[in-house]
Amino acid sequence: MPRFLLLLLLVVTATGAQAQGPALIAEYGAPGTTGYNSVIPTPEAVLGYRIGERHTTPAEAVRYVQAVAEASDRVVMAEHGTTFGGRPLVHAFVASPAQHARLGAIRQQNLRLSEAPETVTDAELAAMPVVVYLGYSVHGNEASGTEAALLTLYHLAAGEGPAVERVLDEAVVLIDPLLNPDGRDRFADWANRWRSPTAPTADPQTLEHSEPWPGGRTNHYLFDLNRDWLPAQLPESQGRLELFHRWRPQFLADFHEMGSESTFFFQPGIPSRTNPFTPPSNQPLTGTIATYHARAFDQIGQFYYSEESFDDYYYGKGSTYPDVNGAVGVLFEQASSRALERETRSGQLTYATTVRNQFAASLSSLEGVVAEREALLRLQRDMYREAPAIARASEVAAYVVATDRYPQRAAELAATLHRHRIAVHGLAQSVEQEGRRYEPDAAFVVPVDQAQARLVRALFERTTTFQDSLFYDVSAWTLPLAFGLEHTGVTRADGLVGDDWTPPNPGRRVGGEAAYAYLIPWGAYHTPRALYRLQDADAIVRVAFEPFEAAVGGARRRFGRGTLVVPVEQAEVSASEVHRLMDDAVADDGLEVIALSGGLTPEGPDLGSPSLRLLTKPTVAILAGSGASAYRVGEAWHLLSERMHVPVSLIDPARLKGLDLRRYTTIVAAGLSRLDEPDTEALKTWVQGGGTLIATGAGAGWAAKAEFLAATRDEPTPDSTRRPYATLNETRGAQQIGGAIFEVALDTTHPLAFGHPERIAVFKTNEQFFEGVTPGGHDVGIYTEAPRLSGYISEPNLARLSGKAALMAGRLGRGRVVLMDFDPSFRAFWYGTDGLLLNAVFFGGLF
Ligand SMILES: [Zn+2]
């Protein structure tokens, strides 16, 4: 901003004020504020520095919120979760003391807008406070948000005058000052560490400005938390969703940063890229509130834009999820200084300025929300009033989901739906559809006609037609496909909907204590966890390469390929320890464990047959560093370590040539796109010596190119059509597969597919097309003839994908190579294909 204007503002705010508050507030001016209560500590008083002078760490931010909550009768602090890194997730409620006294009643009344919208009259709306959620810095290295949160908290706690009083009286403000403490800690530590306190530099090339891989954007396991609002698999989101649905805000602001050369962005964004399940009245109201931001930025001379980029299609983002919950979600994007000060082509950008802008947007949001209070409350009530009509417009009345074959995945899906306040019921009577019978004790039902009708449809429907062919994020997330569960839509739900569904515990022992051996069928979600626990205890475990029958409880029962066989008499482990490990598999992993008293089978190989192959305990490393996608690395790490309790070494791909790779049986190249020649050679030598390389997503393309496996790729013919310059982006973008769901036929006789169904849904985010590895190797998974299940893909690409290889396996020297051209553990909610990665880890050395 021009210096004279800054001085003018300083003068204006200083006159007549008891105290002008922190410098950045004074700089912005905070219109309508007459002064600040000196009882409330400023950030400087608690932290010892002024906001904008350094990067506030998560611990410091929490300390400040606590200090304000202790001093103020307007603020209450509470926790809503703990991160993987053990850091608390906190929020502050801000309201007038009178509103605080009746907070419980306010919440109950507010919930009626969504739960009993018919009962809320216009007169009631006129008297209700609006609930506002201000969420800051979900991306840890977009740091200015959290600083602005602290200023906003101070301003609301200490501010005096009509503007603050109106907000306190007419709104309940939930401030979530740091949505991603683990990521912020990495970033703040880095930025603070490489700065000279005496003579800082604005050079964008200095370390302070260039974070090392993986950066602070993501959480502990390298997930983008601003994609997890819908999958809801991570503790940060689970805690936040609980808070969100407890309060059902009418407005949510999500504070981000973008490239340093940009200006400032606020929504509405691009109308054609709004999800069709967002109510049509949402965009105009977002546009009305945008006029408040525009006015605030006009006053301080800050440039901005509001109708391009950043779509509102994927409900997994913080500014889009509210739209399907009757709220207005607004995305703010501030040009990032990345550190304290930074050269840009339009002049020096300081951290303090970015914080000031986020603070300005916080205040303009509050001003707009209070002014549009009734319209916001009405939007939410009316959206929920429309739920029966949304359900009537659906061809499907209810979704029936099978729970028998994969009960743990079904329980996880139901838990995910519950996080979104979607009701899940037992199936009251059997249904036959598409040649499959769903039985009451083996399925649950999700009726569309419920308060969250829009969200049910958005989560269950398969989308194959789109208004726009460009996507800022994925184009599909159909949940029952992601969880790999058989399901169907029924057109009439009469008589089908039973009581609330609670997942049965599938864990059980069959046949008590075994005299000879135990069998554990392969395929249940947590079986690999039980297997690793057994192997870690030095137990001998074999795996069946052929199906067989065994006498169980006087009857013959068939066991498929992949069944684990655990002898009771072991060299290293006592029989009592084997029995105890089986108790763990039942109790902790929810598995079915079958006791056998002898090894002779009525049909198929006997238990001592060579087709029951001995398993070795995997020692796993993941290539984690520059050249690998941090998201894909994090997904594999999280699956193995967090869910399966398998320790993983994260090794730097740039140091491979100097490492002793012989200590690993298995190395995962998840989303690896490049590797230097000497490191590639070191990896190849290791595979040739007997290692198993698993390359997923873009990593499959890299491994094929580096000739780990002779997998030919079908390269597209370049499009030579001459087109107007202005349409180039659109034309190129339309050929991208930003993320869609495809059907793959699996060869379930191959160990990589043991325990899986013959047709499986995979999630693909790249444009590689493999012809396959036959005859040199084995094409275990092939895209079906019409592979698109849900999501956007151009017609030419869809035609090319048909019949291509998705999962390939082959030998290199004494080792094995597995290529998956999809992302098996995408965003931690692709339970349906996690097993393919785990099969490769546990059975990869056997084919
Ligand atoms: Zn961001």
Side-chain angles (χ1 to χ4, degrees):
M1 80 191 284
R3 208 158 272 277
F4 71 89
L5 193 59
L6 172 74
L7 288 172
L8 188 70
L9 277 173
L10 284 169
V11 172
V12 169
T13 35
T15 47
Q18 297 160 6
Q20 58 173 269
L24 287 169
I25 295 183
E27 184 184 330
Y28 173 59
T33 309
T34 53
Y36 288 92
N37 179 354
S38 58
V39 169
I40 308 301
T42 61
E44 190 178 356
V46 174
L47 303 175
Y49 57 89
R50 285 191 295 187
I51 291 292
E53 280 183 351
R54 53 176 282 130
H55 286 78
T56 302
T57 65
E60 288 167 334
V62 172
R63 189 150 57 89
Y64 181 66
V65 177
Q66 207 154 18
V68 173
E70 275 163 20
S72 171
D73 57 2
R74 297 174 180 174
V75 179
V76 170
M77 183 184 112
E79 283 187 25
H80 58 272
T82 308
T83 67
F84 284 120
R87 296 181 180 83
L89 294 156
V90 305
H91 61 271
F93 276 104
V94 190
S96 68
Q99 299 281 55
H100 267 297
R102 47 184 289 270
L103 215 49
I106 290 174
R107 189 177 81 84
Q108 290 307 332
Q109 188 186 32
N110 187 65
L111 283 182
R112 281 174 46 223
L113 296 173
S114 50
E115 290 172 2
E118 299 302 332
T119 68
V120 185
T121 62
D122 284 353
E124 231 179 317
L125 286 188
M128 280 173 74
V130 61
V131 179
V132 183
Y133 195 121
L134 302 178
Y136 295 88
S137 297
V138 67
H139 294 137
N141 57 5
E142 301 174 5
S144 55
T146 295
E147 314 285 354
L150 304 186
L151 285 183
T152 305
L153 179 67
Y154 171 78
H155 177 74
L156 292 179
E160 288 162 2
V164 173
E165 274 158 27
R166 186 169 179 203
V167 170
L168 296 176
D169 287 340
E170 298 187 22
V172 171
V173 184
L174 249 155
I175 297 180
D176 191 338
L178 60 166
L179 293 142
N180 177 8
D182 292 351
R184 185 182 182 85
D185 209 43
R186 286 203 300 278
F187 177 69
D189 178 56
W190 179 263
N192 287 330
R193 194 198 310 175
W194 295 110
R195 171 184 308 138
S196 160
T198 313
T201 171
D203 174 8
Q205 300 189 77
T206 187
L207 279 181
E208 182 190 356
H209 290 95
S210 43
E211 285 175 280
W213 191 97
R217 175 182 175 91
T218 51
N219 80 347
H220 179 80
Y221 279 112
L222 311 182
F223 286 97
D224 186 337
L225 291 175
N226 196 38
R227 302 294 181 270
D228 190 46
W229 283 78
L230 210 61
Q233 296 301 313
L234 306 167
E236 293 90 343
S237 322
Q238 291 174 0
R240 182 171 6 89
L241 280 169
E242 182 61 34
L243 179 65
F244 179 93
H245 285 290
R246 251 182 89 71
W247 278 93
R248 288 285 171 108
Q250 284 80 43
F251 180 87
L252 185 143
D254 199 20
F255 294 84
H256 291 251
E257 289 181 0
M258 56 182 167
S260 304
E261 297 292 345
S262 9
T263 57
F264 193 96
F265 171 83
F266 48 82
Q267 279 176 326
I270 307 169
S272 67
R273 294 192 207 155
T274 298
N275 193 295
F277 287 114
T278 294
S281 48
N282 183 294
Q283 282 254 334
L285 189 49
T286 310
T288 305
I289 292 171
T291 62
Y292 292 85
H293 317 311
R295 204 172 314 137
F297 285 124
D298 286 345
Q299 276 167 14
I300 54 175
Q302 170 66 44
F303 269 44
Y304 54 84
Y305 67 110
S306 66
E307 282 153 343
E308 295 143 88
S309 43
F310 306 112
D311 68 27
D312 239 351
Y313 189 81
Y314 173 51
Y315 284 131
K317 294 189 295 172
S319 54
T320 311
Y321 184 76
D323 297 345
V324 75
N325 285 282
V328 165
V330 171
L331 171 69
F332 291 116
E333 295 272 358
Q334 159 68 45
S336 180
S337 67
R338 279 296 172 242
L340 270 203
E341 47 193 67
R342 183 186 179 107
E343 291 167 15
T344 74
R345 278 176 307 178
S346 35
Q348 191 129 317
L349 180 63
T350 68
Y351 190 43
T353 302
T354 66
V355 174
R356 180 207 61 180
N357 288 348
Q358 304 274 34
F359 173 70
S362 304
L363 261 51
S364 61
S365 294
L366 292 172
E367 189 193 354
V369 164
V370 167
E372 303 301 325
R373 181 179 58 84
E374 279 189 63
L376 284 160
L377 291 162
R378 189 173 301 111
L379 173 80
Q380 187 167 65
R381 181 197 64 180
D382 291 355
M383 190 199 95
Y384 282 102
R385 278 185 176 181
E386 283 165 13
I390 297 293
R392 274 196 304 278
S394 166
E395 281 173 26
V396 168
Y399 291 92
V400 180
V401 179
T403 60
D404 47 350
R405 188 158 178 194
Y406 298 107
Q408 295 166 332
R409 291 192 216 158
E412 292 295 339
L413 173 57
T416 303
L417 296 171
H418 284 143
R419 285 179 198 123
H420 297 298
R421 296 300 185 268
I422 290 171
V424 179
H425 297 270
L427 182 64
Q429 60 185 58
S430 59
V431 182
E432 197 161 333
Q433 189 136 318
E434 294 154 7
R436 210 253 192 227
R437 205 175 160 81
Y438 295 84
E439 298 291 353
D441 56 353
F444 64 66
V445 57
V446 181
V448 180
D449 192 5
Q450 54 175 302
Q452 293 290 58
R454 286 172 193 270
L455 200 48
V456 170
R457 292 189 60 185
L459 289 173
F460 278 82
E461 287 183 9
R462 301 182 187 188
T463 319
T464 50
T465 52
F466 295 90
Q467 217 193 331
D468 199 312
S469 52
L470 297 190
F471 296 89
Y472 181 74
D473 200 77
V474 300
S475 63
W477 48 83
T478 318
L479 283 193
L481 293 176
F483 284 74
L485 296 166
E486 286 180 274
H487 62 287
T488 190
V490 292
T491 50
R492 290 176 67 96
D494 320 338
L496 297 185
V497 179
D499 296 335
D500 285 347
W501 187 76
T502 41
N505 181 0
R508 64 190 186 121
R509 264 176 176 279
V510 177
E513 199 160 276
Y516 188 77
Y518 288 104
L519 301 181
I520 305 177
W522 189 255
Y525 192 73
H526 287 126
T527 315
R529 186 161 83 191
L531 171 57
Y532 188 81
R533 192 189 297 110
L534 284 158
Q535 293 180 318
D536 202 38
D538 295 324
I540 297 289
V541 183
R542 290 176 187 274
V543 58
F545 264 51
E546 295 298 332
F548 62 92
E549 288 189 357
V552 179
R556 277 161 72 154
R557 180 168 158 184
R558 190 184 154 86
F559 292 90
R561 290 186 174 88
T563 300
L564 303 179
V565 180
V566 188
V568 172
E569 292 303 324
Q570 300 242 359
E572 304 288 330
V573 186
S574 70
S576 63
E577 178 70 356
V578 171
H579 299 315
R580 199 192 55 75
L581 286 161
M582 292 302 135
D583 289 339
D584 289 349
V586 171
D588 297 354
D589 306 316
L591 300 182
E592 190 190 21
V593 170
I594 299 108
L596 293 187
S597 54
L600 189 66
T601 63
E603 198 176 313
D606 297 326
L607 294 195
S609 153
S611 78
L612 285 133
R613 308 274 294 271
L614 187 64
L615 288 165
T616 39
K617 182 173 96 168
T619 325
V620 186
I622 300 176
L623 301 183
S626 189
S629 154
Y631 300 143
R632 305 291 92 86
V633 167
E635 288 159 4
W637 179 27
H638 171 261
L639 172 67
L640 286 162
S641 296
E642 192 62 31
R643 291 207 176 135
M644 298 300 149
H645 303 180
V646 176
V648 164
S649 298
L650 300 169
I651 58 176
D652 185 349
R655 292 180 53 218
L656 285 186
K657 58 185 175 298
L659 300 180
D660 178 10
L661 298 180
R662 289 169 305 177
R663 58 186 296 146
Y664 311 116
T665 61
T666 310
I667 294 180
V668 182
L672 188 79
S673 54
R674 60 171 197 276
L675 191 65
D676 287 346
E677 188 62 36
D679 298 306
T680 305
E681 283 313 310
L683 195 59
K684 226 174 237 177
T685 305
W686 168 81
V687 175
Q688 283 160 339
T692 300
L693 176 72
I694 305 168
T696 66
W702 160 81
K705 215 166 154 192
E707 297 178 336
F708 279 84
L709 206 55
T712 43
R713 279 170 69 174
D714 170 20
E715 300 293 342
T717 9
D719 180 359
S720 54
T721 320
R722 289 186 171 129
R723 290 192 174 87
Y725 173 74
T727 66
L728 284 184
N729 255 348
E730 221 166 294
T731 319
R732 267 188 222 130
Q735 296 310 317
Q736 281 169 5
I737 303 175
I741 305 171
F742 301 99
E743 186 181 53
V744 166
L746 285 178
D747 174 359
T748 56
T749 66
H750 194 283
L752 287 181
F754 283 175
H756 287 79
E758 277 162 11
R759 297 283 168 117
I760 196 165
V762 307
F763 193 78
K764 183 173 166 67
T765 60
N766 58 54
E767 296 87 41
Q768 15 181 64
F769 300 88
F770 287 100
E771 298 291 0
V773 294
T774 309
H778 198 92
D779 297 320
V780 183
I782 309 282
Y783 289 103
T784 57
E785 203 172 321
R788 192 238 312 259
L789 294 173
S790 189
Y792 175 78
I793 181 171
S794 73
E795 288 306 320
N797 279 343
L798 183 58
R800 283 176 69 210
L801 190 60
S802 164
K804 293 290 187 299
L807 175 58
M808 293 148 277
R811 306 282 294 254
L812 177 66
R814 290 170 47 223
R816 279 90 173 166
V817 179
V818 177
L819 306 182
M820 295 182 195
D821 99 315
F822 48 91
D823 297 323
S825 305
F826 188 69
R827 292 183 184 165
F829 78 112
W830 270 82
Y831 285 79
T833 46
D834 279 339
L836 293 174
L837 182 61
L838 295 166
N839 276 25
V841 167
F842 284 95
F843 304 153
L846 292 180
F847 59 80

